[in-house]
């Protein structure tokens, strides 16, 4: 049985290489069953001392490779920065990021599903909405996994959250997450018709302990 191919969308101020490093335990947990394919966001992010990066709580190198810190969109158009809590009328860069995913699907696809972390998970919800409204004919994801996701606080993004999305989804979040508190992740659940939920006692990272294997496998089993 061929493994499921899943496109992985990193968090703000990560990149494809660093996210691959951070999800090594998940790849090991899912090996033989799932192939995780990584891409990087098109926008470079300037380092700002006031911003907390979206990283896990464990040790390890920072952003990997030569790509540096990347983001999918900016909530502060002038400063070219992003905060999940920032209310804004319009954002900067989302269209370029959708185009980058479209290109990744054409070049590296097809993909069975899509996985996003933090800002990447918020972006995945938007991509699923575009797919369901038939605005992106190249997209054919059968499922979505959203880790530490949240609904965008940007007014122009509200179009993505109504009506509930039909795509099967697994929502994963940590009860001790201080970057994206679990209450923010729960706010995304009503945007999906039948959301499956996996909570863990930790913080802002993709959980991949043996205790989580069954929940992931049960979800993936529906698509194999």
């Amino acid at each position: 049985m061929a493994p499921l191919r899943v496109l992985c969308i990193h968090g703000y101020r990560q990149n494809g290489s660093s996210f691959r490093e951070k999800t090594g335990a998940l790849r090991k947990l899912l090996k033989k069953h799932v192939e995780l394919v990584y891409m990087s966001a098109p926008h470079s992010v300037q380092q700002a001392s006031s911003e907390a990066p979206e990283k896990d709580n464990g040790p390890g190198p920072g952003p990997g490779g030569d790509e540096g810190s990347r983001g999918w969109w900016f909530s502060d158009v002038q400063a070219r920065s992003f905060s999940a809590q920032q209310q804004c009328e319009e954002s900067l860069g989302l269209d370029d990021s959708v185009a980058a995913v479209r290109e990744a699907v054409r070049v590296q696809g097809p993909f069975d599903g899509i996985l996003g972390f933090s800002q990447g998970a918020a972006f995945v919800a938007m991509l699923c909405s575009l797919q369901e409204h038939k605005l992106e004919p190249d997209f054919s994801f059968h499922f979505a996994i959203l880790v530490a996701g949240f609904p965008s606080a940007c007014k122009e993004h509200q179009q993505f959250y109504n009506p509930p999305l039909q795509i099967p989804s697994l929502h994963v979040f940590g009860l001790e997450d201080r970057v994206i508190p679990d209450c923010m992740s729960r706010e995304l659940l009503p945007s999906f018709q039948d959301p499956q939920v996996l909570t863990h006692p930790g913080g802002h990272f993709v959980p991949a302990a043996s205790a989580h294997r069954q929940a992931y496998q049960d979800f993936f089993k529906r698509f194999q």
Side-chain angles (χ1 to χ4, degrees):
M1 192 160 51
L4 295 170
R5 300 189 77 243
V6 178
L7 180 62
C8 297
I9 306 293
H10 61 76
Y12 185 66
R13 292 224 268 122
Q14 296 181 328
N15 60 48
S17 298
S18 67
F19 192 44
R20 188 178 192 280
E21 290 171 16
K22 295 294 186 187
T23 52
L26 182 68
R27 283 185 287 118
K28 193 173 176 184
L29 193 73
L30 303 175
K31 66 180 178 185
K32 296 183 188 162
H33 303 292
V34 180
E35 178 191 356
L36 301 179
V37 180
Y38 299 81
M39 66 172 292
S40 293
H43 304 293
S44 293
V45 176
Q46 299 306 310
Q47 190 76 13
S49 56
S50 61
E51 289 182 325
E54 297 191 347
K55 61 181 182 184
D56 65 18
N57 296 342
D66 301 320
E67 299 169 286
S69 300
R70 297 271 167 171
W72 301 101
W73 79 88
F74 301 110
S75 55
D76 188 322
V77 174
Q78 261 66 48
R80 288 180 65 90
S81 64
F82 171 78
S83 167
Q85 287 85 3
Q86 183 176 11
Q87 305 277 336
C88 60
E89 291 291 324
E90 55 187 30
S91 68
L92 177 69
L94 190 69
D95 289 346
D96 293 334
S97 292
V98 173
V101 173
R102 192 185 305 133
E103 183 65 12
V105 168
R106 284 178 182 161
V107 174
Q108 297 175 271
F111 295 104
D112 298 289
I114 187 166
L115 176 153
F117 172 64
S118 207
Q119 190 195 44
F123 183 41
V124 163
M126 299 176 191
L127 296 171
C128 291
S129 177
L130 291 171
Q131 174 176 303
E132 289 208 6
H133 289 96
K134 298 186 168 42
L135 297 173
E136 288 295 332
D138 290 322
F139 294 178
S140 58
F141 304 114
H142 302 308
F143 59 85
I145 300 172
L146 303 94
V147 183
F150 55 89
S152 171
C154 183
K155 202 166 271 186
E156 72 173 3
H157 297 162
Q158 299 317 301
Q159 59 177 321
F160 296 116
Y161 303 116
N162 207 12
L165 299 170
Q166 302 296 311
I167 188 169
S169 59
L170 176 65
H171 301 254
V172 184
F173 44 87
L175 303 180
E176 294 298 321
D177 195 326
R178 298 285 180 257
V179 180
I180 304 296
D182 66 306
C183 60
M184 287 181 67
S185 291
R186 291 181 197 278
E187 286 173 10
L188 192 55
L189 298 180
S191 297
F192 290 81
Q193 186 67 43
D194 183 25
Q196 307 295 300
V197 174
L198 168 60
T199 60
H200 63 94
H204 196 60
F205 58 88
V206 181
S210 55
H212 308 124
R213 182 186 285 114
Q214 197 62 48
Y216 285 123
Q217 286 182 347
D218 287 348
F219 181 75
F220 287 126
K221 207 175 289 179
R222 299 158 60 185
F223 312 103
Q224 281 171 320

